[in-house]
Amino acid sequence: MSDPALGLTMLGLIVVAIMMGFPTAFTLMGLGMGFGYLAFWAPGQHWYNNQIFDLIVQRTYGVMTNDVLLSVPLFVFMGYIFERAALIDRMFFSVQLAFRRLPASLAVTTLLVCAFWGIASGIVGAVVILMGVIAMRPMLNAGYDVRLASGAITAGGTLGILIPPSIMLIVYAAVAGQSIVKLYAAAMLPGFFLTFLYLVYILGWAILNPKIAPKLPPDKYHLAVPEWLQRLERGRSRRVIGGLIAAALRPSLLRGADAPDGRRIGYGLILKNLLTAVVPLALVVTTFGTAWWYVVIYNAPAAVTAASVSTTQTASVSAEPAGSSTLAEPDKPQELGTPESVTETAEAPQSADAPPQRMGSPLAEPTGESAMGHIPEHFYAWFWGLAVLSALLLGLYYWRMDGEQLEILRELVVSVVPLGVLTVVVLAVILFGITTATESAAIGALGALFLAVMAKYPRQVCWWSLAGALVGLVLGLGRGDFMTLFVSASLGGVFAGTLVPGLLNFRTSPALRKNLNESVFLTAKTTAMVCWLFVGSALFSGVFALHGGQSLIERWVRSMDLSPVGFLIMSQLIIFLLGWPLEWTEIIIIFCPIFIPMLDHFKVDPILFGTMVAVNLQAAFLSPPVAMSAFYLKGVSPKHVTLNQIFAGMMPYMLIVILCLVFMYIWPGMTLWLPEFLYGN
Amino acid sequence: MNAQRLVQAIDRVSYWSGKAFAWLIVALTFVVSIEVFKRYILNAPTAWMFDLNNMLYGTLFMMTGAYTLAAAGHVRADFVYIYLRPRAQAALDLALYFLFFIPGILGLIYAGYDYAALSWRIGEHSTVTAEGPPIYHFKSVIPIAGALVMLQGLAEIVRCVECLRTGVWPERPRDVEEIDVVDTQLAQSEFVDEESRRAAVASAHAIEEAARHRSAVDESERKEP
């Protein structure tokens, strides 16, 4: 007895029932159960033989064996471990030093740290409260405009749910039956484009009207250079590298100087500083080496001479990321983590079409699929061009490095680089199809654990990682080539460096135990929340389709005779409005499935649609007067900051997001270029 | 008083089981990572890894459902609900527990029991690979998890009745929340002054509560640093 009237009733009821505020997972289960029972009811059948029971258990088992959702707990776990292990205020401090010469440097730093932090964690409330404590007061004390300060915090805080690896995109992938990898690739450019637009807005405003962001007094952004380091500075521009190398060769140069902690200067200290100085070089070299390996060795140069259309595209677009990243960090590309920006520029353009998920093939074995692997035509030109450029920049950076810059670099190396490297590695292996999303999520979680242990016991972790790396090296020896050895050594290092010191100190370190406990339990709660909602929704949508409700809606929408633009505007508007009262989980899991079947009719790419939904929710979460982040910020700011000021600060960002949506619609290429480029069509 | 003891006992069961199964995430992390090492470096992939991953993940989220319910962690569309008085909230919840929760979960337990029983009878093995591992115990998770959630649901119903009688919601046991990260982070911070740190930590929960109501924290309750 299935009939469309019941389907309509269901649709009306679901809206009312959800609004009653009962845990949504169980609301959906109950509704699905009831209506499904009616749908399957047949006279003369025993009440307990109703087929709804088969449906509910199959839907549940389907969620339990869903290999897309499998990466949810892993990414969530990674995020929770991260946000407890990496120190956000130290990160803020060091990034601020690196950007000190920019206009509105504090606001720029705030936005970047928020975005960066959000990549790992993605919990809006916590980010906004933390940044409210750490960044709001310094900004207000420096005389920044309240609107500028509050806008940077609230807009930056919501970015985290968009930029991969975001949980929201995984859940959308599971709902729409799309590949996570493609969605991540698609969300990459809009995510960074949005960040870029925010930065342009802040910088533009500060340049046009310098009064809103006065320059910091010099004593606020100078770092004290320890006395022994000062003695090594040479010449008027106080270059330090030469002196450091000289001191490493002849420690007697530093006789009589004391280290900051009052002890004698030892060889270890000099070596440590030298190592720090080498980090940017090492990161750049690794990046270029990996790009070379990926294109030339991993992607089997079966047809080197092949010059297809896609290769010319490769060359023409590869200029774009390079340009945007130089814009994002004007005159001082060396000062902030050079490595990250170079990674983006170097790796993205040079990869050839990677087969999406090459699960079974071992790392270093050249692939047999010659059709897929070819070196883009202009690869060598671009590679060497970028390599020479980076070498020049690095050379300049080292040439001009003074004691203070070395100190800043040390701060950056401690606070930003580990998290940055881990994020880039996790995203890179997903995007280039080297491992599956689940595997990289697990490696990411392991890396987060490694960082958490290292933050507490750096010395032990160092030694044990070294031992583990040796073991990994030996195990990988049988397989021969350099890249396998490198990967197996680093994996071995991470394993040993996490497990041994972690287990040794687990009993004696309350901080470590607290971090792990809290992360484990929070992961369980978040995963259960998302997946039980998924179970409920899977049952409900099955029953809804059974009653013909879905086709009813489809017929109704088609009868409105909308153009694709009209459909997109309507659906995005509905989602925008739903974003005010609801959380993203409910919107993606319950309401997106209503639109997704219609995408085909309007010729809208589900990947584009998903990315637009993700961007759209940014706007919804930034719109006054319902945005929660404003209230979080109000809670921690000084009393004279009013809610209206915070809303006024948020407003422009909401408009920027909407602008970004318009751009995404006008140039779908911005979203779809990267997935098509990486995985073909 | 007996009712309260019952609720406490059920809470303890849910918390204990949920927290015990929560540790599967650590196992999952290591199992997948080790498999990465085995497959890509040693070139020795494990056939039943896919099934094992699914079992770990599926058991993890199913068995922590009751714990999440006990800790009020299931998402609600509460933009109307939070403005109601506790008695009205309890009445609404009570009705919906009987209308939605009990039929849904009873159906899950009943269907899951049959499903698992059949699987046990035929000694079902996974068909993902040729010689798949047995999956009947994995399927048994469905009725067991359903029963745990149902048990916790009974405790929630007793809570609703309690609230209807007294007019205030009974206390829940303290559990870790997402906002606790503020505490952890600020405890380690070097650049935030002591007073604003203490003020933020002290009011973090109140701020979160207020933000859910879309309102700022009451000024009189706040400690100005």
Side-chain angles (χ1 to χ4, degrees):
Chain A
M1 180 192 113
S2 62
D3 92 66
L6 271 179
L8 263 189
T9 324
M10 262 183 106
L11 188 67
L13 225 87
I14 182 73
V15 177
V16 179
I18 287 179
M19 284 205 304
M20 285 198 276
F22 195 65
T24 319
F26 303 117
T27 308
L28 292 173
M29 265 192 190
L31 277 177
M33 197 69 199
F35 280 93
Y37 198 89
L38 283 178
F40 283 118
W41 188 78
Q45 192 188 36
H46 264 299
W47 65 267
Y48 52 80
N49 273 341
N50 196 299
Q51 280 175 29
I52 183 63
F53 296 120
D54 296 334
L55 186 69
I56 186 173
V57 76
Q58 270 159 17
R59 289 295 165 124
T60 312
Y61 192 65
V63 177
M64 286 165 76
T65 51
N66 186 323
D67 59 334
V68 174
L69 289 177
L70 177 54
S71 46
V72 168
L74 291 167
F75 274 126
V76 170
F77 187 52
M78 173 179 114
Y80 283 130
I81 293 273
F82 254 153
E83 61 172 17
R84 282 164 177 73
L87 289 179
I88 191 170
D89 75 328
R90 195 154 185 199
M91 195 187 289
F92 180 77
F93 179 68
S94 58
V95 175
Q96 180 224 327
L97 283 174
F99 277 121
R100 59 202 169 152
R101 304 239 163 77
L102 282 186
S105 64
L106 279 173
V108 169
T109 307
T110 305
L111 187 73
L112 287 180
V113 169
C114 274
F116 193 51
W117 188 252
I119 289 179
S121 125
I123 296 158
V124 179
V127 178
V128 171
I129 290 190
L130 276 173
M131 286 312 276
V133 177
I134 293 165
M136 192 74 173
R137 206 164 291 269
M139 279 198 270
L140 295 180
N141 287 345
Y144 276 42
D145 189 282
V146 177
R147 286 170 299 162
L148 177 70
S150 55
I153 294 179
T154 45
T158 37
L159 263 178
I161 57 172
L162 171 64
I163 299 181
S166 93
I167 312 297
M168 179 163 70
L169 290 174
I170 305 180
V171 175
Y172 179 83
V175 166
Q178 297 295 322
S179 108
I180 307 182
V181 186
K182 280 189 176 180
L183 263 168
Y184 273 179
M188 215 60 170
L189 283 185
F192 288 116
F193 183 62
L194 199 58
T195 319
F196 169 69
L197 285 181
Y198 287 174
L199 278 179
V200 168
Y201 171 72
I202 292 180
L203 285 175
W205 193 14
I207 290 170
L208 289 180
N209 184 3
K211 262 184 288 176
I212 55 151
K215 269 216 168 304
L216 292 177
D219 64 304
K220 282 278 180 195
Y221 64 74
H222 273 300
L223 207 58
V225 181
E227 193 264 333
W228 69 273
L229 203 55
Q230 276 174 13
R231 285 174 49 170
L232 293 180
E233 294 176 334
R234 298 283 159 84
R236 247 180 349 124
S237 54
R238 302 208 299 268
R239 293 191 286 271
V240 80
I241 291 293
L244 206 56
I245 294 173
L249 296 176
R250 254 186 24 208
S252 55
L253 271 179
L254 287 171
R255 183 158 303 142
D258 280 337
D261 51 4
R263 283 181 303 169
R264 293 278 311 283
I265 299 279
Y267 204 73
L269 188 69
I270 301 171
L271 207 63
K272 220 193 240 169
N273 277 282
L274 259 183
L275 276 182
T276 311
V278 171
V279 166
L281 180 69
L283 285 174
V284 171
V285 169
T286 317
T287 308
F288 276 95
T290 316
W292 178 268
W293 166 81
Y294 179 76
V295 176
V296 178
I297 301 174
Y298 182 67
N299 249 356
V304 183
T305 46
S308 66
V309 186
S310 77
T311 53
T312 18
Q313 269 176 356
T314 313
S316 60
V317 272
S318 50
E320 189 184 2
S324 65
S325 93
T326 8
L327 274 177
E329 45 204 74
D331 62 28
K332 285 248 178 280
Q334 316 97 315
E335 274 200 3
L336 105 144
T338 314
E340 268 93 61
S341 60
V342 175
T343 312
E344 298 301 332
T345 49
E347 288 194 347
Q350 285 154 5
S351 47
D353 307 357
Q357 297 190 343
R358 198 183 291 126
M359 289 182 43
S361 83
L363 245 191
E365 203 163 65
T367 140
E369 305 154 277
S370 53
M372 298 298 266
H374 53 79
I375 300 178
E377 195 185 9
H378 300 293
F379 170 73
Y380 291 104
W382 274 101
F383 183 84
W384 291 116
L386 283 173
V388 168
L389 188 71
S390 323
L392 281 178
L393 286 178
L394 265 180
L396 191 69
Y397 174 54
Y398 279 126
W399 176 246
R400 293 182 39 192
M401 179 185 274
D402 56 12
E404 195 184 4
Q405 265 182 335
L406 184 65
E407 288 291 298
I408 294 177
L409 179 67
R410 223 191 44 212
E411 280 291 318
L412 280 174
V413 165
V414 171
S415 62
V416 182
V417 170
L419 185 56
V421 168
L422 186 57
T423 316
V424 170
V425 166
V426 167
L427 286 180
V429 292
I430 302 180
L431 288 183
F432 296 154
I434 296 172
T435 64
T436 63
T438 309
E439 286 167 346
S440 16
I443 295 290
L446 188 68
L449 280 172
F450 179 75
L451 293 187
V453 180
M454 194 167 75
K456 294 272 176 266
Y457 303 97
R459 200 168 287 261
Q460 287 183 24
V461 169
C462 263
W463 290 115
W464 282 108
S465 308
L466 215 59
L470 279 179
V471 174
L473 212 58
V474 171
L475 283 177
L477 266 183
R479 308 252 311 112
D481 73 283
F482 172 73
M483 202 61 197
T484 317
L485 286 182
F486 179 70
V487 174
S488 78
S490 28
L491 269 178
V494 172
F495 272 124
T498 315
L499 270 177
V500 181
L503 289 176
L504 281 181
N505 298 301
F506 193 66
R507 280 196 171 283
T508 51
S509 163
L512 211 58
R513 233 177 18 237
K514 182 164 176 266
N515 182 348
L516 193 63
N517 269 325
E518 288 188 350
S519 308
V520 164
F521 300 149
L522 282 173
T523 306
K525 283 200 278 188
T526 307
T527 312
M529 185 263 279
V530 170
C531 294
W532 277 85
L533 188 57
F534 225 96
V535 170
S537 157
L539 176 69
F540 181 84
S541 59
V543 172
F544 189 56
L546 203 72
H547 276 300
Q550 186 64 44
S551 58
L552 203 71
I553 294 188
E554 270 172 55
R555 241 179 296 138
W556 179 61
V557 171
R558 278 181 206 191
S559 72
M560 292 201 304
D561 209 18
L562 289 168
S563 63
V565 192
F567 169 74
L568 262 186
I569 292 179
M570 185 193 76
S571 52
Q572 296 295 338
L573 193 70
I574 294 177
I575 286 170
F576 178 73
L577 293 178
L578 286 172
W580 288 0
L582 297 180
E583 311 227 359
W584 64 261
T585 34
E586 293 163 311
I587 295 173
I588 302 272
I589 299 180
I590 303 168
F591 292 98
C592 274
I594 298 180
F595 294 111
I596 289 167
M598 289 184 260
L599 295 179
D600 200 32
H601 173 70
F602 291 103
K603 304 270 182 301
V604 179
D605 192 318
I607 299 225
L608 178 67
F609 187 76
T611 320
M612 286 179 88
V613 169
V615 174
N616 189 352
L617 287 180
Q618 297 277 315
F621 294 154
L622 282 178
S623 50
V626 285
M628 268 168 70
S629 43
F631 298 96
Y632 280 115
L633 185 58
K634 168 74 184 139
V636 282
S637 3
K639 270 181 186 168
H640 65 83
V641 177
T642 66
L643 260 178
N644 279 339
Q645 281 173 314
I646 298 179
F647 283 141
M650 272 163 69
M651 202 63 174
Y653 293 94
M654 190 184 98
L655 298 180
I656 291 177
V657 179
I658 293 175
L659 190 73
C660 180
L661 270 180
V662 174
F663 278 136
M664 283 170 72
Y665 178 74
I666 301 176
W667 296 306
M670 185 172 78
T671 317
L672 297 177
W673 167 71
L674 194 59
E676 270 167 26
F677 172 65
L678 286 175
Y679 316 116
N681 213 338
Chain B
M1 278 307 102
N2 257 340
Q4 250 172 22
R5 292 257 299 279
L6 178 73
V7 170
Q8 277 169 6
I10 295 179
D11 272 354
R12 223 170 295 138
V13 171
S14 296
Y15 269 74
W16 188 86
S17 65
K19 287 188 167 180
F21 279 97
W23 287 95
L24 286 180
I25 182 62
V26 180
L28 185 61
T29 305
F30 279 99
V31 164
V32 180
S33 313
I34 291 172
E35 173 63 11
V36 168
F37 193 83
K38 279 189 66 191
R39 176 194 291 171
Y40 292 100
I41 307 296
L42 306 181
N43 208 6
T46 319
W48 36 268
M49 201 39 76
F50 185 81
D51 292 293
L52 180 64
N53 289 348
N54 273 335
M55 285 178 198
L56 289 174
Y57 145 79
T59 315
L60 167 70
F61 92 80
M62 285 302 278
M63 297 302 277
T64 49
Y67 162 50
T68 311
L69 184 61
H74 282 293
V75 62
R76 300 162 168 256
D78 54 3
F79 54 100
V80 179
Y81 182 82
I82 43 174
Y83 295 108
L84 302 177
R85 274 170 304 129
R87 272 220 169 85
Q89 287 180 343
L92 193 61
D93 268 2
L94 189 62
L96 294 184
Y97 267 109
F98 281 102
L99 193 63
F100 293 147
F101 182 89
I102 290 186
I105 300 297
L106 269 185
L108 185 71
I109 298 173
Y110 167 69
Y113 178 80
D114 271 359
Y115 196 59
L118 178 70
S119 186
W120 276 94
R121 265 203 305 283
I122 60 175
E124 189 178 4
H125 280 238
S126 164
T127 51
V128 175
T129 49
E131 301 262 314
I135 49 170
Y136 34 84
H137 42 66
F138 181 43
K139 288 190 170 176
S140 323
V141 164
I142 301 177
I144 297 173
L148 279 173
V149 172
M150 181 55 109
L151 191 66
Q152 184 59 41
L154 295 180
E156 298 299 315
I157 289 174
V158 175
R159 276 211 170 88
C160 291
V161 175
E162 198 79 349
C163 175
L164 275 179
R165 258 189 4 178
T166 58
V168 283
W169 280 106
E171 287 265 317
R172 283 182 190 279
R174 167 94 180 93
D175 193 37
V176 52
E177 287 169 41
E178 282 182 347
I179 209 75
D180 289 343
V181 71
V182 173
D183 195 0
T184 317
Q185 276 286 336
L186 292 182
Q188 303 166 313
S189 73
E190 301 161 34
F191 303 100
V192 178
D193 61 295
E194 185 60 36
E195 280 197 51
S196 36
R197 178 193 306 179
R198 217 176 306 133
V201 170
S203 51
H205 280 98
I207 293 171
E208 156 126 85
E209 188 61 36
R212 295 206 66 82
H213 286 73
R214 305 291 197 278
S215 67
V217 182
D218 195 0
E219 294 292 339
S220 57
E221 279 178 24
R222 258 182 72 200
K223 289 184 229 123
E224 177 71 3

